[in-house]
């Protein structure tokens, strides 16, 4: 039995509540604005038959139907080729090598990654942070040798990473290999050798980008809470008006 098959069949309170729930979900998802929600919710609580309820949610997803979810990527959107082109500067790198022997090294912030960069860690460790770096070429090669030490490479979202290292009683992290890069983004090839040591690669946003993303998530939650609060208030008002109409109709019938 469908709503269209028996449009004159009287709707129950449970039927109206199901429609109201669909409207609340549509408001929270941004499918309806507040004015449309109020108009449709008012029509829902005034509806007497299935024929009056059916058009209210005809253009909205119904219970049991889940629209396909968009693909989620850690890559920043948008990160157009033109933006990346501004970070592929050519020329020479800020430095071409780094060494840590029972010590450490670090390259971070604004620096230029050369076409080939070599690093060596022995009983020590180093970090190469490429999140704010420029690149001397569309493809750069970072050769890492870690003996009883470690090297950590941090890349920004959108950069393609290829790992070609060899490890003996150690490790070369290749978890980021195969993740496609943005159009026009540089390609980072990591090579080298690890013995009783390791080379790690992680993809992270900058501190400012993480702060901005956190603020956006907080703002979205606040907006959603406000919309739900407004929706509940509209619903309470509609219920009061509906009950008032029922009492008015009953008095007229008794007279």
């Amino acid at each position: 039995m469908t709503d269209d098959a028996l449009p004159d069949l009287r709707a129950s309170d449970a039927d109206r509540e199901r429609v109201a729930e669909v409207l609340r979900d549509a408001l929270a998802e941004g499918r309806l604005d507040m004015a449309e929600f109020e108009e449709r919710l008012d029509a829902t609580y005034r509806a007497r038959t299935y024929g009056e309820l059916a058009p209210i949610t005809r253009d909205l997803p119904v219970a049991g139907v889940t629209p396909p979810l968009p693909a989620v990527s850690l890559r920043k959107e948008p990160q157009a080729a033109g933006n990346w082109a501004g970070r592929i500067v050519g020329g020479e790198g800020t430095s071409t090598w780094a060494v840590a022997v029972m010590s450490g090294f670090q390259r971070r912030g604004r620096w230029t990654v050369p076409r080939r960069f070599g690093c060596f860690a022995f009983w020590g460790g180093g970090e190469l942070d490429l999140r704010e770096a420029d690149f001397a070429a569309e493809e750069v090669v970072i050769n890492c040798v870690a003996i009883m030490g470690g090297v950590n490479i941090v890349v920004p979202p959108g950069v393609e990473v290829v790992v070609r290292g060899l490890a003996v009683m150690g490790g070369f992290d290749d978890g980021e290999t195969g993740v496609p890069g943005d159009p026009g983004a540089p390609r980072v090839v990591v090579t080298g050798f690890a013995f009783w040591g390791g080379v790690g690669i992680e993809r992270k946003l900058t501190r400012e980008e993480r702060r901005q993303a956190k603020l956006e998530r907080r703002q979205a939650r606040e907006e959603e809470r406000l919309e739900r609060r407004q929706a509940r208030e509209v619903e309470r008002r509609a219920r009061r008006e509906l009950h008032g109409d029922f009492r008015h109709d009953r008095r007229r019938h008794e007279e």
Side-chain angles (χ1 to χ4, degrees):
M1 182 183 297
T2 64
D3 297 350
D4 293 331
L6 295 174
D8 296 329
L9 186 66
R10 300 283 291 188
S12 67
D13 288 340
D15 295 323
R16 284 185 281 269
E17 282 301 323
R18 281 192 290 269
V19 173
E21 184 62 28
V22 172
L23 295 177
R24 285 191 289 270
D25 290 342
L27 175 66
E29 294 167 358
R31 301 179 190 275
L32 298 176
D33 59 29
M34 184 56 66
E36 293 173 317
F37 173 77
E38 292 180 359
E39 180 181 350
R40 296 194 188 199
L41 188 65
D42 182 68
T44 297
Y45 286 119
R46 293 183 181 278
R48 296 292 180 269
T49 66
Y50 282 102
E52 294 173 344
L53 280 176
I56 297 173
T57 58
R58 195 181 301 277
D59 59 345
L60 298 174
V62 297
V65 179
T66 304
L69 296 176
V72 177
S73 172
L74 181 60
R75 202 178 315 147
K76 290 184 292 184
E77 298 288 349
Q79 181 63 284
N83 295 337
W84 280 114
R87 295 179 61 179
I88 301 176
V89 297
E92 301 296 328
T94 303
S95 62
T96 58
W97 58 274
V99 175
V101 177
M102 292 183 289
S103 60
F105 65 80
Q106 187 178 71
R107 300 288 187 275
R108 65 186 310 175
R110 299 296 297 181
W111 68 292
T112 300
V113 185
R115 294 174 183 270
R116 296 191 65 86
F117 185 91
C119 56
F120 175 78
F122 176 73
W123 278 18
E127 181 183 59
L128 301 176
D129 191 335
L130 313 184
R131 289 177 292 175
E132 299 179 14
D134 294 327
F135 298 83
E138 294 181 357
E139 179 176 296
V140 298
V141 178
I142 299 177
N143 186 70
C144 302
V145 177
I147 300 176
M148 292 182 287
V151 177
N152 189 52
I153 302 173
V154 184
V155 299
V159 169
E160 181 184 1
V161 178
V162 178
V163 178
R164 297 172 181 163
L166 173 66
V168 176
M169 291 185 290
F172 249 90
D173 183 6
D174 61 354
E176 294 298 333
T177 297
V179 178
D182 286 337
R187 188 169 185 248
V188 177
V189 180
V190 181
T191 64
F193 175 72
F195 177 72
W196 280 14
V199 176
I201 302 168
E202 56 181 334
R203 195 181 300 270
K204 294 171 60 178
L205 298 173
T206 64
R207 181 177 299 177
E208 177 61 27
E209 289 169 335
R210 291 198 303 270
R211 188 187 68 82
Q212 183 62 33
K214 184 177 180 179
L215 288 176
E216 291 175 355
R217 290 194 298 270
R218 182 182 302 171
Q219 182 179 359
R221 288 195 297 267
E222 290 296 332
E223 291 176 352
E224 182 177 351
R225 281 196 289 266
L226 177 60
E227 288 178 349
R228 289 191 177 277
R229 194 157 52 241
Q230 291 174 337
R232 288 194 294 269
E233 180 59 31
V234 171
E235 185 176 355
R236 283 194 293 268
R237 187 166 63 247
R239 284 177 177 275
R240 287 196 298 268
E241 293 176 355
L242 177 63
H243 292 161
D245 290 344
F246 278 147
R247 288 194 295 270
H248 179 70
D249 292 344
R250 179 176 295 179
R251 285 196 299 269
R252 291 182 58 187
H253 179 73
E254 291 174 352
E255 292 174 356

